[in-house]
Amino acid sequence: PTSNTVNITLHVTSYPNNTANTVGVALYSSNIGDLQTDSSGSFYGLLVSFNGSVLYHAPGSSYTSLKSSAFPTPKAPFTMTVLLTEGSSGNVTISYVYINGTVYAVNLNTPMPWTDIGYVGLRASPGNLLYVSYFGVSPSPFGNVERLINNIESTSGWGTLPYMANGQLVFS
């Protein structure tokens, strides 16, 4: 990350199963590669699940629970913001989670190194179809807010095709 805070905001318009602890906002180290699954492998992973649990994946291990009820399970539609900060030990701290404007102080210092954040995205699981109308990460490494819409990653300042401009996908 380009600073010591990262703000991840998403708006979920439809989500049929709010109880799965495997669906939510995911952070991965850049060495995750092109694995078929994120259940094992030599990478760091952190999952802030929509049901309020926080899971951690250490290199060469599988996911373990760090916290089981950091915030209540939201019902769709909902807007969720996860505020991450670099902790004093250099690890990722989940500071706050906002759901529909209500703040939940999580203050969980995780074992994931801040410098190993390589990817931020959504993690789904089989049988959980979710519709997201907005997903943004700020600050992005290129300035502005990094957005993912319809599987196209972009920022409003990019000129590499395709990119998002004024809410429209630009191909040429």
Side-chain angles (χ1 to χ4, degrees):
T2 58
S3 73
N4 62 355
T5 62
V6 172
N7 177 328
I8 306 160
T9 300
L10 64 146
H11 180 75
V12 176
T13 57
S14 176
Y15 178 52
N17 182 359
N18 283 341
T19 60
N21 69 349
T22 58
V23 179
V25 174
L27 284 79
Y28 297 114
S29 57
S30 59
N31 66 334
I32 191 168
D34 59 355
L35 298 174
Q36 295 293 316
T37 177
D38 68 347
S39 60
S40 65
S42 187
F43 64 91
Y44 286 102
L46 192 62
L47 175 65
V48 180
S49 169
F50 290 162
N51 78 347
S53 62
V54 177
L55 304 172
Y56 170 70
H57 184 283
S61 183
S62 58
Y63 280 98
T64 58
S65 177
L66 297 179
K67 196 164 193 169
S68 61
S69 58
F71 51 88
T73 303
K75 300 293 180 196
F78 63 90
T79 299
M80 179 177 178
T81 298
V82 178
L83 181 63
L84 307 173
T85 57
E86 182 179 9
S88 59
S89 62
N91 291 347
V92 175
T93 296
I94 302 169
S95 298
Y96 298 97
V97 172
Y98 297 81
I99 299 173
N100 294 332
T102 301
V103 64
Y104 301 93
V106 178
N107 296 322
L108 177 63
N109 190 17
T110 73
M112 183 172 181
W114 183 261
T115 56
D116 279 313
I117 297 174
Y119 298 100
V120 178
L122 294 173
R123 185 183 193 279
S125 63
N128 282 302
L129 185 62
L130 61 130
Y131 295 93
V132 177
S133 64
Y134 178 82
F135 183 82
V137 180
S138 178
S140 81
F142 305 103
N144 302 316
V145 173
E146 195 161 344
R147 298 179 285 177
L148 177 74
I149 300 173
N150 296 331
N151 296 324
I152 304 297
E153 184 179 14
S154 181
T155 66
S156 57
W158 289 2
T160 304
L161 300 174
Y163 64 93
M164 294 296 297
N166 300 321
Q168 301 294 316
L169 190 58
V170 177
F171 288 98
S172 60

